[in-house]
Amino acid sequence: MSAVAHFRSVVVDCPDPREPARFYARVGGGTPEDDDPDWVVLRLPGGPRLAFQRSPGYTPPEWPRSDRNAQQFHLDFDGGATWEEIDAAEERVLALGARVLDKEDYAKKGFRVYADPVGHPFCLCRIAHD
């Protein structure tokens, strides 16, 4: 089947586009293009293009609620193949301003859940590297 259109970006609503763009640049690499205070683009090396747009009245999702102000998406990052690598990645994202949303039973799940500085959920996943 031929594509109707080609994927361009994931666009994230936020109160200040520069803050999450800088956060995710530190997590996943890249340099934010922040010429416009209302729209910032981050091209992740080897990955998708993330765009952050100013959204007046933005309210972060209430993870893991689904009855009101529900999570609409989240980002997954390969945090390493071992729990030691995940621990090190966690230390770094927390230092960048993330906060823990869920670490319960993470060994069974294979991931840990955090919120970025403006409240969007993201995960550090334990990925076996072949």
Side-chain angles (χ1 to χ4, degrees), residues 76-126:
D76 283 347
F77 289 89
D78 177 347
T82 67
W83 287 116
E84 291 77 20
E85 290 173 308
I86 298 293
D87 289 342
E90 175 179 271
E91 186 175 315
R92 293 180 67 192
V93 298
L94 293 176
L96 294 172
R99 63 184 168 84
V100 175
L101 290 179
D102 181 19
K103 282 177 55 172
E104 187 175 321
D105 296 328
Y106 62 83
K108 290 181 185 175
K109 295 181 205 173
F111 60 89
R112 295 182 189 167
V113 184
Y114 306 87
D116 69 19
V118 298
H120 297 108
F122 72 96
C123 296
L124 291 176
C125 302
R126 188 174 57 86

Side-chain angles (χ1 to χ4, degrees), residues 60-73 101 121:
E62 295 179 47
W63 190 90
R65 295 187 72 120
S66 61
D67 58 340
R68 69 166 199 237
N69 202 27
Q71 169 184 304
Q72 296 178 10
F73 76 95
L101 290 179

Side-chain angles (χ1 to χ4, degrees), residues 6 9 11 18 46 49 53 81 83 100 102 124:
H6 298 282
S9 330
V11 180
R18 290 181 171 136
R49 175 183 130 129
Q53 70 180 1
W83 287 116
V100 175
D102 181 19
L124 291 176

Side-chain angles (χ1 to χ4, degrees), residues 7-68:
F7 177 77
R8 179 165 170 78
S9 330
V10 172
V11 180
V12 180
D13 290 347
C14 51
D16 175 7
R18 290 181 171 136
E19 182 179 15
R22 290 177 184 146
F23 173 81
Y24 286 112
R26 291 180 192 120
V27 172
T31 303
E33 299 167 9
D34 62 357
D35 303 339
D36 182 341
D38 295 324
W39 179 266
V40 176
V41 173
L42 173 63
R43 287 179 174 83
L44 295 170
R49 175 183 130 129
L50 295 176
F52 303 89
Q53 70 180 1
R54 184 176 307 280
S55 177
Y58 167 79
T59 303
E62 295 179 47
W63 190 90
R65 295 187 72 120
S66 61
D67 58 340
R68 69 166 199 237

